[in-house]
Amino acid sequence: MKFTLSWLKEHLDTDEPLEKLADKLTMIGLEVEQIDDKAKALAPFSIARVISAEQHPNADRLRVCMVDTGDGGAPVQVVCGAPNARTGLISVFSPPGTFIPGKNITLGVGTIRGVESRGMLCSAAELQISEDHDGIMELPADAPIGAPYAQWAGLGDPVIEINLTPNRQDCTGVHGIARDLSAADMGKLKDPGIKPIKGEFPCPVQLTVEDTTLCPGFALRLVRGVKNGPSPEWLQKRLTSIGLRPINALVDITNFMTYDRARPLHVFDAKKVTGNLTVRRARDGESLLALDGRTYTLDPGICVIADEHGVESLAGIMGGEASGCDENTTDVLIESALWNEINIAQTGRKLGVSSDARYRFERGVDPAFMVPGLELATKMVMELCGGTPSENVVVGNPFGEDRVIDFPLSEVKRLAAIDVPLVELKRILGHLGFMVAGSGPIVKIAVPSWRTDIGGKADIVEEIVRIVGVDKVPMTPFERGDAPRKPVLTTIQLRTRRAKRALAARGMVEAVTWSFISKPAAELFGGGQAELVLANPIASDLSDMRPSLLPGLIAAAQANANRGSSDVALFEVGQLFRGDKPEDQLIAASGVRHGLASSKGMGRHWSGSTEADALDAKADAFAVLAAAGAPMQALQIVPGGASWLHPGRSGTIQIGPQNVLGYFGELHPRTLEALGADGPLIAFEVILDRVPDAKQKPTRAKPVLELSAFQPVSRDFAFIVDRAVKAGDIVRAAQGVDKKLITAVTVFDVYEGKGIDDSKKSVAIAVTIQPREKTLTDQEIDAVAAKIVAEVTKKTGGTLRA
């Protein structure tokens, strides 16, 4: 919402400075987004005369001008390329150091084709006061040389732009904004009242409203003998200052009323209207060429104003080209109506039409101002265009419904913790247009017709608080009580957040896929049950609720590959469905990797390969489980996974056979073929709901973080074992040597091939030894290493690799 300071002062008698008014607007909820003060921005620009304009010696299209700037000094030399630069021209001059808003540059002394230029003669576009850039500005001969241009041109009227919340439809007009400032002690509201205009004859055009739910009220009047032409300068300046283009007096009046009083109107050329008017639903096949030059195809969900010929206007949104007013208009029909807010919003979205009228009607306009708005518009038409008015035609309810709220005075203290005396409460609400009756403890408050957003006691408190000042509300901490505060997030919410962060930290990108998949894909991942089939799917290939997150991730990975991005690592944390019971709806974390999107570069790895493999999927799954708080020491890895995984390149993560937490590995070629994906593709899926809750052990002892002051020691071991031996068995054997001294055991290499017997493999581990009481000697470290070798050899039957 834009308006100028002088426009505001037409409705508000105030001497407050602009900065204070802007601060108060923001404090009462009408946030000021921008103030455009052209007088301040254009202060360096002055009026000057071109004394001479000679041809540039080195350029055909340039002239060397000597300019009298009016400061009493010598003429200034300016090189100008404007075609209208000539001797005797009065124009606008900017000296070096001036910021040129239209070019976004700061002017300096320059040399153009070998000739020095010490300033600039400006066009209107360069000053951003119009789009005219064909030449420099030409001012009247009586323009005072040396005077500030902005002051002489009357540009000293700042434009204020505020950001309105959807509930403040009353402040879509300058009058409503002035009312709020008056309540905030920023001045006195000017509200002289609107006198009815006496009709000289009955209106010959009758009106019928077929559906009152779409049009609760409609007022119409004919004015004969008008003379339509350009609107007066004051009205044109009002509109251009806020970015509107003046068209003609009749149309400009309706635009002015829209912004001045939040009352959208429409004017029809009466001679272009055939017969009477009807407010009705559009019929299938009807269309309208609107004032924006576009033709809209209509349907019965759209409310229109039609005559006996057809549709003439989109009700409450935009008029039609056929009945628009132009310079030949002599008889005009002025319409002021009320429209259903929801229907206006639906029509606007359906047709893609955005207009000032729609912006206000879909938020709700003042029903009681429907007829006064018509009277005020009639007065302006008669003053600017002449003419003789008819009597009003009014259909429906022109007043709206009365609303009275029983308001306990204690509500302000209860909800806002501030004391507002009854006298001050009545003053604030009275200035805002409310009527307060009674002296307490409960008073009756009548809500004004223009405040459709006020529906209860809390709304009244909000009005009082925003005028008194939100800064007056004391900071009051919530009572915590004796019991400890409950966590804000549930366990599964915490697990979801931590899982996402863990996977993102591993270089994966989050994806959000459909919760619906095709029936073949659902059956492939263990779904397809009748209770999971949608009764009304949005597409034939989105017929079933997903039993797994992986089909969507696989499709996303393939879509990336089809577009040249084959190296992808995607994850999703979301809901999957195994049945129609609540316990069958689970939260899972899943991910896929393809191509060179391996996580091995994130840590130590000796394989030299960057292709993603099953171990990447295992590491991803374990990262999720660790972040979710799973008991990592209790996890078991069982070879082989779900049916959609490769049987020899997959594994199952479980805590005993009864609690399977998830799967990881390479996708089965049959799965890839069924989903139309290119392999190899590795994946994992972990069910977060199945992670057991951490056990709460009651204890009086406070946990102690033990940090050693001694340097840890790392030793690497490679064991040759049978291929059937699990790497986890080697890790557990090494950890069992000294659980206090050995703080970490990790596998960093598995090798099978040349130099190793076909029935054997080499597993390399890194062991971290952390001294606690003293620095270990070489002999002590060697002793620990010897125990590790002996224990692993004993438990696995392996030998230390030479």
Side-chain angles (χ1 to χ4, degrees):
M1 174 65 189
K2 291 183 178 181
F3 56 94
T4 64
L5 180 61
S6 64
W7 196 343
L8 176 66
K9 290 185 176 182
E10 290 291 327
H11 297 277
L12 183 70
D13 186 3
T14 180
D15 294 324
E16 300 290 353
L18 174 62
E19 292 75 13
K20 190 172 181 180
L21 289 172
D23 290 342
K24 182 60 70 173
L25 282 170
T26 298
M27 288 300 296
I28 62 178
L30 308 178
E31 181 183 1
V32 175
E33 287 195 328
Q34 182 179 354
I35 298 177
D36 184 11
D37 191 349
K38 288 194 178 297
K40 184 176 181 180
L42 302 180
F45 296 85
S46 61
I47 300 173
R49 176 189 289 111
V50 179
I51 300 174
S52 66
E54 305 293 338
Q55 182 67 45
H56 192 291
N58 303 317
D60 294 337
R61 297 186 179 182
L62 298 178
R63 290 182 177 273
V64 180
C65 301
M66 300 305 296
V67 179
D68 178 11
T69 62
D71 60 357
V76 177
Q77 181 172 280
V78 175
V79 177
C80 182
N84 61 334
R86 63 185 184 273
T87 301
L89 177 69
I90 309 295
S91 189
V92 177
F93 171 76
S94 58
T98 303
F99 177 75
I100 311 298
K103 290 185 174 293
N104 196 29
I105 61 171
T106 298
L107 194 63
V109 177
T111 300
I112 303 175
R113 293 289 185 95
V115 177
E116 186 180 64
S117 181
R118 303 189 65 83
M120 183 177 180
L121 295 171
C122 303
S123 69
E126 288 162 342
L127 271 61
Q128 289 188 336
I129 57 177
S130 80
E131 297 181 0
D132 184 9
H133 52 76
D134 293 335
I136 57 178
M137 298 176 66
E138 297 191 23
L139 304 184
D142 60 351
I145 307 301
Y149 169 72
Q151 181 178 343
W152 174 83
L155 299 178
D157 195 5
V159 178
I160 306 166
E161 182 176 2
I162 63 174
N163 182 20
L164 288 177
T165 52
N167 64 311
R168 292 309 307 275
Q169 72 282 349
D170 58 306
C171 287
T172 58
V174 181
H175 187 78
I177 297 169
R179 183 191 298 114
D180 266 25
L181 286 172
S182 171
D185 279 337
M186 287 290 104
K188 182 178 180 182
L189 180 67
K190 299 178 183 179
D191 195 7
I194 301 171
K195 295 181 179 179
I197 304 296
K198 182 181 179 181
E200 302 295 334
F201 57 91
C203 181
V205 179
Q206 298 303 307
L207 178 72
T208 302
V209 177
E210 292 186 354
D211 189 345
T212 56
T213 61
L214 297 180
C215 179
F218 198 109
L220 186 71
R221 163 175 267 163
L222 174 69
V223 181
R224 287 177 176 162
V226 300
K227 184 178 180 181
N228 193 21
S231 53
E233 184 180 359
W234 72 266
L235 181 52
Q236 293 193 35
K237 282 189 174 181
R238 282 276 189 269
L239 300 180
T240 55
S241 66
I242 60 174
L244 296 181
R245 179 174 61 89
I247 299 174
N248 57 56
L250 291 174
V251 175
D252 292 351
I253 288 170
T254 63
N255 288 333
F256 175 78
M257 288 288 297
T258 298
Y259 277 84
D260 188 68
R261 303 301 291 259
R263 176 66 251 184
L265 303 162
H266 185 64
V267 287
F268 299 90
D269 188 325
K271 293 184 178 180
K272 298 177 183 178
V273 174
T274 304
N276 296 321
L277 293 179
T278 303
V279 177
R280 59 173 173 82
R281 293 180 180 273
R283 302 186 180 101
D284 285 325
E286 287 187 318
S287 62
L288 175 69
L289 175 60
L291 289 172
D292 61 359
R294 296 170 58 189
T295 299
Y296 297 97
T297 302
L298 312 178
D299 62 52
I302 297 173
C303 182
V304 298
I305 303 173
D307 61 7
E308 295 177 3
H309 178 266
V311 177
E312 295 294 346
S313 172
L314 292 174
I317 296 178
M318 188 173 293
E321 183 74 30
S323 58
C325 294
D326 53 32
E327 65 276 4
N328 299 316
T329 300
T330 57
D331 297 345
V332 61
L333 282 169
I334 308 174
E335 165 243 310
S336 176
L338 302 175
W339 305 105
N340 182 284
E341 297 91 340
I342 295 176
N343 182 261
I344 293 294
Q346 291 173 339
T347 299
R349 286 196 297 267
K350 184 185 299 181
L351 299 179
V353 183
S354 181
S355 66
D356 291 331
R358 173 196 166 186
Y359 178 85
R360 286 156 178 80
F361 278 125
E362 68 184 3
R363 286 161 172 76
V365 299
D366 180 6
F369 196 70
M370 181 180 77
V371 174
L374 179 63
E375 302 286 3
L376 184 57
T378 302
K379 178 183 178 183
M380 291 188 67
V381 169
M382 294 173 63
E383 289 176 350
L384 303 184
C385 304
T388 304
S390 74
E391 297 173 353
N392 290 338
V393 175
V394 180
V395 176
N397 183 6
F399 303 109
E401 297 179 357
D402 294 333
R403 289 169 294 151
V404 177
I405 297 175
D406 292 331
F407 183 75
L409 297 177
S410 58
E411 281 293 278
V412 180
K413 179 71 173 178
R414 186 180 73 86
L415 295 180
I418 57 176
D419 290 308
V420 179
L422 178 60
V423 174
E424 178 67 5
L425 182 146
K426 287 185 175 182
R427 187 198 69 80
I428 292 173
L429 294 179
H431 279 78
L432 291 174
F434 296 80
M435 295 182 64
V436 183
S439 58
I442 298 177
V443 297
K444 290 187 176 295
I445 299 177
V447 181
S449 58
W450 57 83
R451 293 304 302 272
T452 57
D453 59 310
I454 303 297
K457 295 178 289 186
D459 297 325
I460 299 294
V461 174
E462 181 182 1
E463 291 301 296
I464 296 169
V465 170
R466 72 182 182 88
I467 299 300
V468 170
V470 179
D471 56 327
K472 300 295 193 300
V473 177
M475 296 179 64
T476 306
F478 287 108
E479 290 293 334
R480 293 181 176 270
D482 297 331
R485 293 174 66 87
K486 295 182 179 180
V488 176
L489 301 178
T490 64
T491 300
I492 194 61
Q493 288 173 329
L494 288 171
R495 289 176 181 172
T496 297
R497 289 189 174 192
R498 292 168 181 167
K500 289 182 178 181
R501 291 176 180 173
L503 292 173
R506 290 184 55 78
M508 305 188 79
V509 177
E510 185 177 9
V512 179
T513 64
W514 289 103
S515 296
F516 320 124
I517 59 176
S518 66
K519 180 171 262 329
E523 292 173 344
L524 193 64
F525 284 81
Q529 298 91 331
E531 60 268 23
L532 296 180
V533 178
L534 298 177
N536 186 24
I538 60 176
S540 59
D541 59 343
L542 299 174
S543 60
D544 288 49
M545 303 297 291
R546 63 185 180 189
S548 169
L549 305 181
L550 290 174
L553 289 174
I554 294 169
Q558 187 60 37
N560 279 272
N562 293 341
R563 289 160 177 79
S565 300
S566 58
D567 303 324
V568 294
L570 304 176
F571 79 88
E572 182 173 8
V573 181
Q575 198 169 32
L576 52 81
F577 306 87
R578 301 286 174 79
D580 58 352
K581 298 179 181 178
E583 59 269 23
D584 295 329
Q585 300 176 18
L586 306 171
I587 301 297
S590 305
V592 296
R593 291 182 185 268
H594 184 269
L596 302 180
S598 170
S599 64
K600 296 183 179 68
M602 302 181 63
R604 181 181 178 186
H605 198 274
W606 289 1
S607 68
S609 171
T610 56
E611 289 279 350
D613 57 25
L615 293 179
D616 288 302
K618 176 187 174 184
D620 293 334
F622 267 63
V624 169
L625 290 168
M632 304 303 292
Q633 71 283 356
L635 298 184
Q636 302 170 353
I637 305 297
V638 178
S643 59
W644 36 268
L645 288 171
H646 192 296
R649 302 174 186 173
S650 61
T652 300
I653 307 173
Q654 61 185 38
I655 304 178
Q658 301 301 319
N659 189 8
V660 176
L661 301 183
Y663 306 97
F664 67 88
E666 184 178 317
L667 287 171
H668 199 292
R670 182 177 61 246
T671 304
L672 296 175
E673 182 181 3
L675 296 178
D678 300 328
L681 196 67
I682 66 105
F684 76 91
E685 186 157 82
V686 171
I687 308 300
L688 296 178
D689 284 309
R690 293 180 181 171
V691 175
D693 295 331
K695 295 181 179 179
Q696 301 294 333
K697 295 181 179 180
T699 176
R700 294 183 179 179
K702 296 182 179 180
V704 178
L705 177 63
E706 184 180 353
L707 297 176
S708 176
F710 304 102
Q711 182 74 23
V713 178
S714 180
R715 288 291 184 267
D716 297 342
F717 304 86
F719 295 95
I720 296 177
V721 296
D722 291 337
R723 285 195 173 190
V725 175
K726 301 174 183 177
D729 295 338
I730 299 174
V731 171
R732 281 189 289 272
Q735 286 176 330
V737 170
D738 190 330
K739 292 185 178 180
K740 185 175 181 182
L741 197 60
I742 297 175
T743 57
V745 181
T746 58
V747 178
F748 65 88
D749 185 53
V750 178
Y751 174 73
E752 298 173 357
K754 186 178 180 180
I756 304 292
D757 190 276
D758 291 342
S759 62
K760 303 288 185 178
K761 64 181 177 181
S762 172
V763 179
I765 61 173
V767 179
T768 302
I769 302 171
Q770 176 63 69
R772 300 292 179 181
E773 300 175 354
K774 65 174 184 175
T775 301
L776 298 179
T777 65
D778 290 343
Q779 293 79 8
E780 291 170 328
I781 295 173
D782 291 341
V784 174
K787 290 181 181 180
I788 292 173
V789 172
E791 188 69 16
V792 172
T793 300
K794 176 182 176 183
K795 294 291 181 66
T796 65
T799 59
L800 188 66
R801 183 178 177 183

XYZ file of all heavy atoms in Angstrom, residues 223-273:
410
model
N -25.193 9.091 -14.361
C -24.920 10.529 -14.450
C -24.902 10.871 -15.931
O -24.079 10.371 -16.694
C -23.587 10.900 -13.782
C -23.358 12.414 -13.880
C -23.570 10.459 -12.323
N -25.814 11.765 -16.339
C -25.933 12.166 -17.746
C -25.165 13.465 -18.012
O -25.027 14.312 -17.136
C -27.397 12.366 -18.119
C -28.191 11.081 -18.258
C -29.639 11.388 -18.550
N -30.424 10.170 -18.780
C -31.744 10.122 -18.708
N -32.432 11.224 -18.411
N -32.382 8.990 -18.935
N -24.716 13.581 -19.248
C -24.125 14.838 -19.697
C -22.745 15.109 -19.146
O -22.389 16.285 -18.954
N -21.962 14.077 -18.890
C -20.612 14.298 -18.395
C -19.679 14.629 -19.560
O -19.945 14.292 -20.723
C -20.083 13.051 -17.641
C -20.959 12.721 -16.464
C -19.945 11.861 -18.569
N -18.590 15.288 -19.241
C -17.561 15.577 -20.227
C -16.266 14.933 -19.740
O -15.607 15.435 -18.837
C -17.387 17.088 -20.403
C -16.389 17.447 -21.505
C -16.273 18.954 -21.677
C -15.275 19.286 -22.779
N -15.124 20.758 -22.964
N -15.945 13.813 -20.358
C -14.786 13.046 -19.904
C -13.525 13.514 -20.626
O -13.534 13.753 -21.829
C -15.004 11.554 -20.171
C -14.000 10.690 -19.446
O -13.382 11.119 -18.466
N -13.830 9.465 -19.905
N -12.460 13.679 -19.913
C -11.189 14.094 -20.486
C -10.096 13.847 -19.481
O -10.271 13.086 -18.518
N -8.933 14.466 -19.652
C -7.862 14.286 -18.679
C -8.283 14.790 -17.304
O -8.981 15.802 -17.183
C -6.715 15.129 -19.256
C -7.041 15.273 -20.712
C -8.526 15.307 -20.795
N -7.883 14.069 -16.271
C -8.195 14.505 -14.912
C -7.318 15.682 -14.538
O -6.273 15.929 -15.154
C -7.985 13.348 -13.930
O -6.689 12.805 -14.070
N -7.697 16.454 -13.518
C -6.901 17.628 -13.128
C -5.516 17.214 -12.619
O -5.280 16.071 -12.241
C -7.747 18.270 -12.035
C -8.647 17.190 -11.544
C -8.919 16.311 -12.708
N -4.632 18.211 -12.595
C -3.233 17.928 -12.252
C -3.094 17.315 -10.863
O -2.296 16.397 -10.658
C -2.415 19.219 -12.345
C -0.926 19.000 -12.101
C -0.133 20.289 -12.189
O -0.742 21.344 -12.456
O 1.090 20.233 -11.989
N -3.874 17.795 -9.878
C -3.732 17.262 -8.520
C -4.062 15.780 -8.458
O -3.402 15.016 -7.740
C -4.618 18.045 -7.545
C -6.103 17.781 -7.681
C -6.986 18.497 -8.422
C -6.845 16.709 -7.080
N -8.243 17.955 -8.324
C -8.188 16.852 -7.504
C -6.517 15.654 -6.231
C -9.190 15.965 -7.103
C -7.517 14.770 -5.828
C -8.837 14.933 -6.260
N -5.085 15.363 -9.230
C -5.470 13.959 -9.231
C -4.425 13.119 -9.969
O -4.094 12.006 -9.534
C -6.856 13.809 -9.876
C -7.421 12.380 -9.944
C -7.388 11.696 -8.585
C -8.846 12.407 -10.498
N -3.923 13.619 -11.076
C -2.887 12.888 -11.800
C -1.640 12.702 -10.939
O -1.020 11.630 -10.939
C -2.533 13.609 -13.102
C -3.661 13.618 -14.127
C -3.171 14.062 -15.499
O -2.051 13.772 -15.884
N -4.028 14.771 -16.226
N -1.259 13.741 -10.178
C -0.093 13.624 -9.309
C -0.323 12.603 -8.203
O 0.589 11.865 -7.825
C 0.252 14.988 -8.705
C 0.986 15.912 -9.652
C 1.487 17.152 -8.927
C 2.345 18.005 -9.843
N 2.871 19.213 -9.150
N -1.541 12.572 -7.667
C -1.856 11.578 -6.641
C -1.612 10.167 -7.177
O -1.011 9.321 -6.499
C -3.326 11.701 -6.224
C -3.634 12.841 -5.291
C -3.344 12.432 -3.842
N -3.833 13.450 -2.931
C -3.139 14.474 -2.487
N -1.899 14.632 -2.901
N -3.651 15.338 -1.642
N -2.071 9.910 -8.386
C -1.968 8.560 -8.950
C -0.548 8.232 -9.390
O -0.042 7.134 -9.112
C -2.943 8.409 -10.125
C -4.426 8.623 -9.789
C -5.287 8.453 -11.036
C -4.888 7.653 -8.703
N 0.105 9.159 -10.085
C 1.467 8.873 -10.556
C 2.437 8.713 -9.394
O 3.420 7.969 -9.497
C 1.968 9.992 -11.486
O 1.859 11.253 -10.810
C 1.146 10.038 -12.768
N 2.176 9.365 -8.278
C 3.087 9.263 -7.134
C 3.126 7.858 -6.566
O 4.127 7.450 -5.967
C 2.670 10.251 -6.040
O 1.399 9.908 -5.491
N 2.048 7.088 -6.749
C 2.026 5.718 -6.231
C 2.147 4.686 -7.355
O 1.884 3.501 -7.151
C 0.743 5.453 -5.419
C -0.514 5.652 -6.281
C 0.701 6.337 -4.186
C -1.798 5.259 -5.566
N 2.519 5.162 -8.543
C 2.801 4.237 -9.634
C 1.649 3.906 -10.539
O 1.757 2.985 -11.359
N 0.525 4.621 -10.440
C -0.615 4.388 -11.314
C -0.575 5.350 -12.499
O -0.175 6.507 -12.362
C -1.937 4.562 -10.556
C -2.212 3.569 -9.423
C -3.566 3.860 -8.784
C -2.164 2.132 -9.917
N -1.037 4.882 -13.650
C -1.045 5.706 -14.859
C -2.400 6.376 -15.021
O -3.423 5.699 -15.105
C -0.745 4.822 -16.078
C -0.756 5.574 -17.407
C -0.316 4.640 -18.519
N -1.205 3.496 -18.649
C -2.292 3.480 -19.423
N -2.627 4.560 -20.122
N -3.035 2.390 -19.508
N -2.437 7.707 -15.065
C -3.719 8.390 -15.300
C -4.272 8.013 -16.676
O -3.534 7.940 -17.657
C -3.347 9.875 -15.238
C -2.070 9.924 -14.472
C -1.347 8.666 -14.810
N -5.589 7.784 -16.750
C -6.218 7.373 -18.012
C -7.186 8.451 -18.483
O -6.994 9.068 -19.518
C -6.929 6.014 -17.829
C -5.904 4.945 -17.428
C -7.668 5.607 -19.110
C -6.494 3.606 -17.071
N -8.241 8.651 -17.753
C -9.154 9.772 -17.985
C -9.854 10.059 -16.667
O -9.719 9.303 -15.701
C -10.143 9.481 -19.125
C -10.953 8.224 -18.891
O -11.631 8.085 -17.869
N -10.892 7.286 -19.843
N -10.602 11.153 -16.627
C -11.146 11.613 -15.355
C -12.036 10.565 -14.698
O -11.938 10.318 -13.490
C -11.922 12.913 -15.561
N -12.924 9.915 -15.475
C -13.851 8.948 -14.888
C -13.112 7.751 -14.293
O -13.393 7.320 -13.172
C -14.862 8.483 -15.944
C -15.877 9.549 -16.408
C -16.711 9.016 -17.553
C -16.768 9.981 -15.248
N -12.168 7.207 -15.037
C -11.413 6.055 -14.538
C -10.510 6.470 -13.386
O -10.376 5.739 -12.397
C -10.596 5.418 -15.680
C -9.718 4.291 -15.147
C -11.516 4.900 -16.770
N -9.907 7.649 -13.485
C -9.022 8.115 -12.420
C -9.777 8.300 -11.106
O -9.221 8.085 -10.020
C -8.345 9.432 -12.823
C -7.351 9.233 -13.960
O -7.078 8.064 -14.306
O -6.865 10.239 -14.504
N -11.033 8.712 -11.185
C -11.841 8.866 -9.970
C -12.006 7.523 -9.262
O -11.878 7.427 -8.037
C -13.210 9.485 -10.305
C -13.041 10.971 -10.660
C -14.187 9.335 -9.141
C -14.296 11.600 -11.240
N -12.291 6.469 -10.017
C -12.461 5.147 -9.398
C -11.149 4.658 -8.784
O -11.148 4.071 -7.689
C -12.968 4.123 -10.427
O -11.988 3.950 -11.464
C -14.274 4.578 -11.041
N -10.012 4.906 -9.464
C -8.718 4.509 -8.896
C -8.408 5.299 -7.630
O -7.867 4.759 -6.654
C -7.605 4.698 -9.928
C -7.665 3.670 -11.038
O -8.160 2.562 -10.851
N -7.170 4.036 -12.209
N -8.750 6.590 -7.644
C -8.532 7.415 -6.458
C -9.367 6.913 -5.287
O -8.869 6.805 -4.161
C -8.882 8.869 -6.776
C -8.807 9.788 -5.584
C -7.591 10.253 -5.125
C -9.967 10.172 -4.910
C -7.513 11.086 -4.018
C -9.907 11.003 -3.806
C -8.674 11.463 -3.359
N -10.630 6.593 -5.528
C -11.503 6.087 -4.458
C -10.972 4.768 -3.893
O -11.090 4.493 -2.699
C -12.918 5.914 -4.992
C -13.665 7.206 -5.251
S -14.150 8.036 -3.721
C -15.265 6.822 -3.028
N -10.382 3.944 -4.753
C -9.843 2.659 -4.306
C -8.742 2.856 -3.281
O -8.690 2.166 -2.256
C -9.308 1.863 -5.509
O -10.384 1.602 -6.408
C -8.681 0.555 -5.070
N -7.854 3.797 -3.539
C -6.727 4.018 -2.636
C -7.041 5.011 -1.525
O -6.450 4.936 -0.449
C -5.516 4.516 -3.431
C -4.727 3.401 -4.072
C -5.106 2.881 -5.299
C -3.618 2.847 -3.438
C -4.394 1.845 -5.896
C -2.898 1.813 -4.020
C -3.289 1.317 -5.252
O -2.582 0.289 -5.823
N -7.956 5.927 -1.760
C -8.255 6.940 -0.752
C -9.180 6.404 0.327
O -8.943 6.636 1.519
C -8.898 8.154 -1.433
C -9.059 9.322 -0.479
O -8.028 9.886 -0.072
O -10.217 9.659 -0.137
N -10.224 5.664 -0.068
C -11.225 5.203 0.894
C -11.407 3.689 0.911
O -12.382 3.203 1.483
C -12.570 5.889 0.604
C -12.540 7.399 0.611
C -12.077 7.967 1.947
N -13.036 7.757 2.992
C -13.892 8.673 3.458
N -13.880 9.886 2.927
N -14.727 8.400 4.426
N -10.488 2.943 0.288
C -10.587 1.476 0.227
C -11.942 1.048 -0.331
O -12.526 0.057 0.098
C -10.365 0.859 1.611
N -12.445 1.809 -1.329
C -13.756 1.533 -1.915
C -13.604 1.376 -3.428
O -13.707 2.349 -4.179
C -14.709 2.678 -1.592
C -16.092 2.578 -2.213
C -16.865 1.415 -1.673
N -17.019 0.351 -2.641
C -17.716 -0.741 -2.459
N -18.343 -0.957 -1.316
N -17.807 -1.659 -3.379
N -13.353 0.154 -3.913
C -13.297 -0.049 -5.362
C -14.657 0.208 -6.007
O -15.705 -0.192 -5.475
C -12.891 -1.533 -5.494
C -12.329 -1.908 -4.168
C -13.056 -1.075 -3.165
N -14.638 0.885 -7.141
C -15.841 1.187 -7.906
C -15.609 0.793 -9.358
O -14.488 0.483 -9.759
C -16.166 2.686 -7.847
C -16.348 3.321 -6.464
C -16.217 4.825 -6.575
C -17.701 2.949 -5.885
N -16.672 0.829 -10.144
C -16.515 0.618 -11.583
C -17.468 1.557 -12.311
O -18.571 1.857 -11.824
C -16.815 -0.822 -11.975
C -16.547 -1.104 -13.429
N -15.288 -1.019 -13.974
C -17.378 -1.430 -14.453
C -15.345 -1.299 -15.264
N -16.601 -1.548 -15.581
N -17.010 2.050 -13.463
C -17.848 2.938 -14.278
C -18.079 2.294 -15.641
O -17.148 1.800 -16.276
C -17.204 4.332 -14.437
C -17.290 5.107 -13.149
C -15.749 4.227 -14.887
N -19.327 2.268 -16.071
C -19.711 1.779 -17.390
C -20.101 2.977 -18.261
O -20.739 3.927 -17.783
C -20.934 0.847 -17.305
C -20.737 -0.388 -16.493
C -21.024 -0.404 -15.132
C -20.292 -1.565 -17.083
C -20.866 -1.552 -14.380
C -20.123 -2.719 -16.337
C -20.409 -2.709 -14.986
N -19.746 2.918 -19.523
C -20.302 3.864 -20.486
C -21.751 3.450 -20.723
O -22.028 2.392 -21.298
C -19.500 3.822 -21.791
C -19.920 4.930 -22.757
O -21.118 5.269 -22.797
O -19.055 5.438 -23.495
N -22.687 4.265 -20.235
C -24.102 3.868 -20.245
C -24.614 3.583 -21.652
O -25.488 2.725 -21.847
C -24.946 4.953 -19.575
N -24.087 4.297 -22.659
C -24.564 4.093 -24.024
C -24.077 2.774 -24.610
O -24.585 2.328 -25.646
C -24.139 5.267 -24.901
C -24.841 6.573 -24.519
C -24.486 7.702 -25.471
C -25.240 8.975 -25.105
N -24.898 10.093 -26.024
N -23.078 2.154 -23.965
C -22.576 0.868 -24.447
C -23.218 -0.305 -23.715
O -22.905 -1.465 -24.004
C -21.052 0.799 -24.274
C -20.300 1.857 -25.071
C -18.803 1.781 -24.798
C -18.047 2.873 -25.540
N -16.590 2.857 -25.245
N -24.082 0.000 -22.743
C -24.798 -1.035 -21.996
C -26.166 -1.236 -22.623
O -26.915 -0.277 -22.843
C -24.930 -0.654 -20.511
C -25.801 -1.660 -19.768
C -23.551 -0.553 -19.868
